[in-house]
């Protein structure tokens, strides 16, 4: 197993338990963090969101649209990138990268179909969305759209979005 994959999974395993402990009781629809924490393919993302202290934000009322990179998307980054971003001294950079994946409001794929647009992210910079042939966000392809959460929507992407 690649070292960075193991690091991300090992971190996420413990962090997923902590995040799951915050899950709402009562059987309501899960929020963005709950959904990500319950899906192994988002283990690295959950570890990063936790390291960036963004759990409470993404469990908030929103609504948010999250373009959620998978573990495989993080593995496409240059060697050592994930480990570097997870270091406490790089927290500001990690927050910038993660908030670049979040758009205010709940935007579903049917709202993007057939359009090309730029949208401001929570980070402050725009992402370019092309919904003419599937949905692409910058150079990332949406591989699963419209994962509905109580506080927004998740679109799984195959590439980590990096702010300029």
């Amino acid at each position: 197993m690649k070292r960075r994959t193991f690091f991300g999974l090992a971190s996420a395993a413990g962090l997923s338990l902590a995040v799951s402990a915050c899950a709402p009781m009562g059987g309501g629809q899960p929020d963005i963090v709950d959904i990500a924490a319950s899906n192994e393919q988002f283990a690295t993302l959950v570890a990063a969101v936790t390291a960036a202290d963004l759990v409470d934000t993404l469990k908030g009322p929103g609504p948010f649209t999250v373009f959620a990179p998978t573990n495989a998307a993080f593995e496409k980054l240059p060697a050592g990138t994930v480990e570097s971003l997870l270091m406490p001294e790089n927290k500001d950079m990690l927050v910038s990268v993660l908030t670049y994946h979040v758009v205010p409001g709940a935007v579903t794929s049917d709202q993007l179909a057939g359009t090309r647009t730029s949208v401001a992210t929570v980070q402050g910079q725009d992402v370019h969305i092309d919904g003419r042939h599937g949905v692409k966000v910058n150079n990332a392809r949406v591989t699963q759209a419209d994962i509905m959460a109580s506080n927004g929507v998740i679109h799984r992407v195959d590439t980590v979005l990096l702010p300029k």
Side-chain angles (χ1 to χ4, degrees), residues 29 63-67 103-115 117 119 129-132 134-137 142 144-149 151-156:
Q29 185 176 18
F64 305 106
T65 298
V66 177
F67 297 104
V103 173
V107 182
T108 56
S109 62
D110 63 326
Q111 294 171 300
L112 302 172
T115 66
T117 189
V119 180
I129 299 174
D130 186 343
R132 294 177 298 170
V135 177
K136 287 188 83 172
V137 182
V142 173
Q144 182 180 0
D146 301 334
I147 303 169
M148 301 308 292
N151 62 344
V153 61
I154 301 169
H155 301 292
R156 182 178 69 201

Side-chain angles (χ1 to χ4, degrees), residues 3-17:
R3 192 178 94 176
R4 68 180 147 164
T5 301
F6 175 76
F7 180 79
L9 294 177
S11 296
L15 298 172
S16 291
L17 293 174

Side-chain angles (χ1 to χ4, degrees), residues 38-63:
S38 70
N39 188 327
E40 183 59 33
Q41 67 183 311
F42 296 128
T44 304
L45 177 62
V46 170
V49 166
T50 303
D53 291 328
L54 291 173
V55 170
D56 288 341
T57 301
L58 291 175
K59 288 181 87 50

